[in-house]
Amino acid sequence: MLRRLLIAFCLLFSAATAANAEDGYDLWLRYKPVEASQGADYKTRATAIVTGSTPTLDVAKRELQRGLGGLLAAAPMTSNTIADGAIVLATPADSRGFAIPVGLDREGFVIRSTTLDGHPVTVIAGGSDIGVLYGAFRYLSLIQTQKSTAGLDIQDAPKLDLRVLDHWDNLDGHVERGYAGTSLWDWWRLPDRVDARYDDYAAANASIGINGAVLNNVNAKADSLTEPYLRKAAAIANVLRPYGIKVYLSARFSAPIDLGGLKTADPEDPDVAAWWQAKADEIYTIIPDFGGFLVKANSEGQPGPGDYKRTHAQGANMLAKALKPHGGIVMWRAFVYSEHDATDRAKQAYLEFQPTDGQFADNVLVQIKNGAIDFQPREPFHPLFGAMPRTQQMMEFQITKEYLGFSTHLAYLAPMWEEVLQADTFAKGKGSTVAKVIDGSLDGHTLTGMAGVANIGDDRNWSGSDFDQANWYAFGRFAWNPDTKSAEIAEDWTRMTWSNDPKVVSTIVPMMMGSREAVVHYMTPLGLAHLMDTGHHYGPGPWVSELGRPEWNPAYYHKADLNGIGFDRTKTGSNALGQYTPQAAKPWLEAKKTDERFLLWFHHVPWDFKMKSGRPLWDELVVTYSQGVDEVSAMRKTWATLEGDIDSERFNAVAANLAIQEREAQWWRDACLTYFQSVSKRPLPAGYTLPGITVEQYRKRVFPYAPGRG
Ligand code: GCW
């Protein structure tokens, strides 16, 4: 709503463009006027919108009017008659004489420049009205990125079925690992008060093809499943529905005990199954198109089937059976590890899940994080991908930057996701990429999906920073097509979010593309992982080694001592490498041959291990940490060159964040090197210094109010 008012306001005063205050609320849907010359050209192909009416077509029509109204400074009228230059929205139910390709996916679309009733028109046809909505957003993005809308012949459809945001939002408004304010969901005042912002949330998601939202944290309270809360969720579902977005809930496995008063939540107990069946039936009377459940079971203290010596498959299938008659699905997470298991944490999920391949019901997907530990700045792909050919596996990425500098560090995550999606599992020979595992093509699965842990809160700019919006956007693009290129996404997003000015585009895109690697360099270079301070995960804590659960200590992951550093995951160590196919594991088997970006993930090597640069490892570590800081300084300088080219409010916000990032990158480098030097006892290479702060002094820095705590 507010966005619409704002746009109308901007149109009125369109003389002022770059100088206009912008606060990031409009995301990549800013619809700023295109240059006059180009605008005239687009206008001839957008004279009127011809369409029928369903709630979703109404949204498509409204978005086109709003978008074109902003971009072309004049909104086309809606009409029932086809005339020259009309944009015709067609569905199988109302095709307006356009031959919709046979077999077009329900969510797919065609955008074609053609002739209808003797008039040159642009048809946006969908396999259903939701396909039309996606097509309408695609059409707008062409103008937003200054592509031609002449001679169009585009056909597209999502490659994955479930394209879902997981909100780790608690019922009290706190967002676990959230760095963008508090929850968008105003549980207290719902369902009576439905924030107008939910419409804008839905539009942004639909514009990138997201079609599902899990509303509550995977560390779930059973309360979400009570009737009052189901009614609140239903109010949100009502807003999201026309945008093609379904609502899902995280289900607490012990709910039959917590809510139903049963003595057990054993999935094989008939009373338990009956309780869930009744609950599912109730949910569907309240939310008729409810998507299903997301479950975190037997992980980090959450209840699960393991409490009754049952497998994950038994637990998942019991829930799946209750949802099945209603068309619901279960996303069952594979993020498990146990303090009582001395096995390398990186191995535990595979050990628990792989043997159950083929046992999951056909409306269950096993949701696997991209790496085997936990959303680190760099991890090799999770060995479960491709290792359960008879199980539907979906990807879980973390959009919120728990481990990459919260919302104050600039880190464009798409290159990281692309790295994982394009990694080759060799499960069925060369070319068995993770993307092919999750899009179902490798093993012939029909139900597919990708989840992203949302970075959205009630901050005015939604994501806590302007650049974090890019990660939300990129997630949608990958969920639509996991083979998309991160550089292409960065360019589209930059054009839509910042400007089409060639200087702006050619400055921002390379900055984004290098940003995640910079974070790796100043936080966890050369295959290191999980050096973040405990609990809040803010800042460095490589010295932490005293916590009860071994795998909660950074020292567990780096294993640095006088002799060397790194986690031996070869045969001489945990042999986590043995969980990959031999071809996938091969490049990582020998330290000398291992891609140095993964060296210390797989190998424990001496400090004087000779690196490809010729330097000993210790020196390389110092150089790489320092490089990370230099890269942030360079980003800061690069950003400064854009002053005056973009609106000052967002310019200043980014500049302020980059200053924080530079300071914290320096802290990361200094603290980690100070600690590692206290262990390695080696001198710094010539030309490098440390500030003289002791490990004890670093250790004393505490952050009781760091945001996003678990
Ligand atoms: O990354 C870790 C987080 C926890 C989170 C957990 C998970 C929701 O530190 O806050 O809990 O992963 O993915 O379940």
Side-chain angles (χ1 to χ4, degrees):
M1 216 26 99
L2 264 171
R3 184 166 52 132
R4 279 164 205 141
L5 282 177
L6 206 82
I7 290 213
F9 178 83
C10 291
L11 277 176
L12 276 177
F13 296 95
S14 59
T17 47
N20 264 350
E22 287 202 52
D23 56 14
Y25 186 85
D26 293 332
L27 298 162
W28 49 90
L29 302 176
R30 290 160 61 248
Y31 303 135
K32 293 287 162 194
V34 294
E35 283 163 32
S37 54
Q38 259 201 322
D41 191 39
Y42 289 130
K43 254 183 216 170
T44 60
R45 287 183 289 276
T47 56
I49 300 166
V50 180
T51 179
S53 178
T54 68
T56 299
L57 286 175
D58 291 346
V59 169
K61 183 170 60 189
R62 211 173 60 220
E63 286 296 322
L64 278 170
Q65 282 188 302
R66 203 169 62 76
L68 294 170
L71 291 161
L72 311 181
M77 302 304 287
T78 53
S79 162
N80 234 331
T81 41
I82 294 175
D84 285 7
I87 297 177
V88 180
L89 307 186
T91 61
D94 185 8
S95 71
R96 305 272 162 166
F98 179 76
I100 297 180
V102 186
L104 184 63
D105 187 273
R106 191 184 68 83
E107 297 182 305
F109 61 82
V110 173
I111 309 177
R112 194 170 296 155
S113 309
T114 183
T115 306
L116 281 187
D117 297 349
H119 297 283
V121 297
T122 305
V123 173
I124 302 177
S128 72
D129 51 7
I130 187 64
V132 174
L133 179 61
Y134 292 154
F137 277 116
R138 181 69 60 84
Y139 182 80
L140 288 168
S141 76
L142 295 176
I143 305 179
Q144 287 177 284
T145 57
Q146 289 191 341
K147 297 198 178 80
S148 173
T149 54
L152 294 178
D153 190 7
I154 300 172
Q155 181 168 340
D156 202 4
K159 276 197 171 180
L160 304 183
D161 301 310
L162 309 172
R163 307 178 297 280
V164 182
L165 286 180
D166 290 359
H167 290 270
W168 285 358
D169 295 18
N170 294 341
L171 300 180
D172 64 2
H174 175 77
V175 182
E176 181 157 348
R177 311 311 174 184
Y179 313 104
T182 54
S183 177
L184 270 190
W185 319 127
D186 188 352
W187 294 112
W188 186 249
R189 287 184 286 189
L190 280 164
D192 303 303
R193 187 178 175 282
V194 182
D195 193 334
R197 196 167 174 169
Y198 301 165
D199 255 300
D200 295 335
Y201 163 87
N205 279 323
S207 78
I208 46 176
I210 287 171
N211 68 356
V214 182
L215 300 179
N216 62 321
N217 192 351
V218 286
N219 289 331
K221 293 266 188 251
D223 307 62
S224 291
L225 299 174
T226 60
E227 200 215 303
Y229 277 93
L230 292 174
R231 300 221 173 268
K232 293 168 192 279
I236 299 173
N238 290 342
V239 179
L240 306 192
R241 187 169 298 115
Y243 296 85
I245 302 168
K246 280 187 185 180
V247 151
Y248 298 77
L249 290 172
S250 293
R252 188 171 170 85
F253 201 77
S254 58
I257 303 172
D258 308 334
L259 303 179
L262 300 191
K263 292 227 156 37
T264 176
D266 181 349
E268 297 296 317
D269 183 305
D271 290 342
V272 170
W275 187 88
W276 280 108
Q277 185 62 65
K279 184 49 76 182
D281 296 346
E282 179 195 359
I283 293 175
Y284 280 89
T285 62
I286 298 172
I287 311 172
D289 57 349
F290 179 66
F293 293 138
L294 170 65
V295 185
K296 170 174 178 177
N298 296 119
S299 165
E300 300 184 331
Q302 294 301 306
D307 303 345
Y308 311 96
K309 308 235 174 331
R310 310 293 185 190
T311 65
H312 288 282
Q314 284 172 302
N317 292 349
M318 183 269 299
L319 295 178
K321 195 169 169 214
L323 296 168
K324 180 89 175 173
H326 307 284
I329 58 109
V330 172
M331 297 172 281
W332 190 272
R333 300 176 85 225
F335 177 69
V336 295
Y337 62 98
S338 161
E339 65 189 299
H340 308 295
D341 187 345
T343 315
D344 173 5
R345 173 174 165 187
K347 291 181 71 177
Q348 295 187 24
Y350 181 103
L351 290 172
E352 217 166 308
F353 275 83
Q354 202 283 332
T356 62
D357 184 27
Q359 295 175 13
F360 290 89
D362 62 3
N363 57 335
V364 176
L365 295 106
V366 173
Q367 181 169 311
I368 305 164
K369 290 189 182 182
N370 55 275
I373 299 280
D374 192 6
F375 298 137
Q376 295 302 296
R378 169 165 278 122
E379 293 193 34
F381 71 88
H382 201 301
L384 271 176
F385 287 114
M388 300 177 71
R390 290 177 298 143
T391 303
Q392 296 164 147
Q393 300 189 322
M394 68 185 280
M395 174 64 79
E396 180 176 319
F397 286 132
Q398 192 181 45
I399 309 171
T400 188
K401 303 204 315 298
E402 174 181 0
Y403 296 105
L404 287 102
F406 296 3
S407 59
T408 36
H409 294 207
L410 197 165
Y412 174 54
L413 303 180
M416 166 163 94
W417 298 337
E418 184 180 354
E419 186 175 301
V420 170
L421 290 165
Q422 296 308 322
D424 202 338
T425 68
F426 287 90
K428 292 217 165 133
K430 198 171 161 43
S432 306
T433 59
V434 172
K436 285 191 183 143
V437 172
I438 63 161
D439 74 15
S441 62
L442 196 70
D443 300 302
H445 293 302
T446 47
L447 183 60
T448 57
M450 185 186 287
V453 180
N455 65 349
I456 300 163
D458 69 352
D459 270 11
R460 181 71 195 155
N461 65 17
W462 303 88
S463 300
S465 82
D466 294 288
F467 273 96
D468 279 310
Q469 298 174 355
N471 294 324
W472 176 8
Y473 177 85
F475 169 75
R477 294 281 301 266
F478 279 124
W480 181 274
N481 178 0
D483 285 317
T484 314
K485 298 278 165 280
S486 52
E488 189 186 305
I489 300 172
E491 177 166 343
D492 287 347
W493 177 80
T494 299
R495 288 177 178 278
M496 294 159 84
T497 304
W498 296 105
S499 162
N500 278 297
D501 175 350
K503 177 187 165 194
V504 173
V505 177
S506 65
T507 304
I508 291 184
V509 173
M511 201 171 120
M512 289 170 74
M513 290 303 290
S515 59
R516 173 267 189 152
E517 205 64 46
V519 176
V520 172
H521 290 156
Y522 65 73
M523 284 191 187
T524 52
L526 306 177
L528 288 172
H530 227 308
L531 304 184
M532 295 77 195
D533 204 357
T534 308
H536 50 64
H537 296 156
Y538 171 68
W543 44 79
V544 176
S545 62
E546 66 283 356
L547 300 173
R549 286 184 71 150
E551 75 292 337
W552 280 357
N553 294 293
Y556 170 92
Y557 297 95
H558 62 65
K559 306 222 181 299
D561 57 22
L562 185 61
N563 302 316
I565 182 170
F567 201 123
D568 183 2
R569 294 194 162 102
T570 68
K571 276 193 181 146
T572 54
S574 78
N575 199 23
L577 265 168
Q579 294 183 335
Y580 291 94
T581 59
Q583 298 97 312
K586 199 168 168 228
W588 294 324
L589 290 177
E590 282 175 58
K592 283 237 163 315
K593 293 191 185 152
T594 297
D595 177 343
E596 289 176 353
R597 297 174 311 164
F598 295 106
L599 181 65
L600 305 178
W601 183 279
F602 288 118
H603 300 278
H604 185 84
V605 289
W607 292 108
D608 57 9
F609 177 85
K610 195 164 170 223
M611 301 294 283
K612 298 202 170 89
S613 63
R615 282 188 281 265
L617 169 68
W618 165 249
D619 290 16
E620 189 81 5
L621 199 66
V622 177
V623 169
T624 312
Y625 265 113
S626 309
Q627 183 189 337
V629 182
D630 293 344
E631 284 162 335
V632 179
S633 303
M635 283 206 283
R636 241 189 119 178
K637 289 201 188 78
T638 305
W639 184 254
T641 66
L642 293 178
E643 181 153 24
D645 295 316
I646 56 175
D647 53 282
S648 56
E649 188 168 343
R650 291 188 302 163
F651 174 83
N652 289 332
V654 173
N657 278 341
L658 284 169
I660 296 173
Q661 185 174 6
E662 188 180 42
R663 190 180 67 228
E664 294 185 350
Q666 187 75 50
W667 168 36
W668 264 96
R669 173 215 178 259
D670 294 346
C672 288
L673 290 178
T674 300
Y675 168 74
F676 288 131
Q677 188 179 41
S678 77
V679 179
S680 77
K681 315 270 185 230
R682 308 223 157 201
L684 295 175
Y688 292 86
T689 56
L690 283 171
I693 301 168
T694 64
V695 172
E696 271 323 299
Q697 285 167 317
Y698 281 120
R699 189 198 286 270
K700 282 198 183 115
R701 297 185 182 179
V702 290
F703 306 95
Y705 307 113
R709 297 174 73 98

